Amino acid sequence: MKRNFDLVIFDCDGVLMDSEKVSARVVAADMTEHGVPITPEAAMARFVGMSLKHMKPLIEAERGAPLPADWNARMIQKIALAMSHEVTEIPGARAVLETLDREGIPWRIASNSADAEMDAKFTRTGFLAITEGRTHSAPRLFAQGGQPKPAPDVFLDAARAQGVPPHRCVVIEDSAPGVAGAVAAGMTCYGFAPHGEGSALLAAGATGIVRTLDAVPALLDARVAA
């Protein structure tokens, strides 16, 4: 028996790091400051899984005026600062990564977050030593024409770095844009939905739903072929 995959790719926000509420709070405060009042809860519902690059034109349209030219860079700084003080790990995150390491299963992280944001999250939670060299940021690809999720680019970047074809990758994602990006990359994707049915993830193309990270090793063990 052998596994029918060679790489596991995790999303960061909402899968490994409990960071989405922190980001939503920063985004809501900034939008309100720029004349578009919104609650953190509404910001999270509206923008979960979305990159700053895709958020900006939506906010500008609602505002009826452009945001400052350096808005993206300033938001990255604001979010990274908040993460450095507030972020926590999703229960079971460290355990699942360490389990995969023990079993010799390669894994990587593919995120719409900027490198500065991921560094802040992983430094705060003590993950930096195990995640270093395994992270892939959509904004890092912009200079080469890459696009954030739901485009497949950041997933394909992770697969290339590991030398694994896309169809041999399994992705764990918690947002519909992320699932859509993984499916567009030609990868098998499982939706991570600890607090809901995951219907939006299934509609986006997820093969199934995972409720806890503790369940991931058993899920992967089941993916074997004679």
Side-chain angles (χ1 to χ4, degrees):
M1 304 288 285
K2 62 180 180 179
R3 296 185 181 93
N4 59 8
F5 67 94
D6 298 308
L7 176 65
V8 182
I9 302 175
F10 293 90
D11 177 41
C12 177
D13 302 301
V15 174
L16 299 177
M17 296 288 107
D18 193 3
S19 51
E20 291 175 329
K21 290 181 180 178
V22 180
S23 294
R25 192 159 58 249
V26 175
V27 169
D30 186 86
M31 287 179 65
T32 300
E33 179 184 332
H34 283 97
V36 187
I38 190 172
T39 65
E41 294 76 16
M44 184 169 174
R46 182 175 180 185
F47 298 122
V48 66
M50 191 179 296
S51 69
L52 291 172
K53 183 175 183 177
H54 285 165
M55 288 166 54
K56 186 181 181 190
L58 298 179
I59 297 170
E60 289 176 330
E62 188 167 346
R63 185 171 182 249
L67 289 164
D70 64 347
W71 182 83
N72 285 60
R74 290 173 61 188
M75 286 300 296
I76 288 170
Q77 292 177 345
K78 288 182 179 181
I79 293 170
L81 179 61
M83 295 300 173
S84 70
H85 294 291
E86 301 178 48
V87 74
T88 58
E89 70 174 90
I90 295 289
R94 180 182 292 275
V96 72
L97 299 182
E98 291 177 345
T99 296
L100 296 186
D101 279 342
R102 283 195 303 271
E103 295 184 1
I105 299 174
W107 58 267
R108 289 180 176 268
I109 298 167
S111 176
N112 269 348
S113 292
D115 286 309
E117 297 173 50
M118 282 196 281
D119 286 348
K121 295 162 193 170
F122 295 139
T123 298
R124 158 81 174 170
T125 54
F127 277 54
L128 199 59
I130 61 172
T131 60
E132 190 171 9
R134 291 165 149 174
T135 63
H136 300 268
S137 163
R140 195 191 309 166
L141 305 176
F142 291 169
Q144 292 79 44
Q147 294 295 320
K149 305 172 190 177
D153 301 4
V154 70
F155 294 112
L156 294 174
D157 186 58
R160 279 193 299 268
Q162 194 66 38
V164 173
H167 74 276
R168 298 285 297 181
C169 297
V170 173
V171 176
I172 310 296
E173 262 286 357
D174 76 314
S175 73
V179 172
V183 172
M187 301 176 180
T188 299
C189 185
Y190 290 91
F192 181 61
H195 305 300
E197 295 182 357
S199 55
L201 305 179
L202 293 171
T207 296
I209 298 298
V210 181
R211 302 294 179 189
T212 68
L213 292 178
D214 294 343
V216 171
L219 172 73
L220 298 175
D221 286 343
R223 293 188 61 83
V224 295

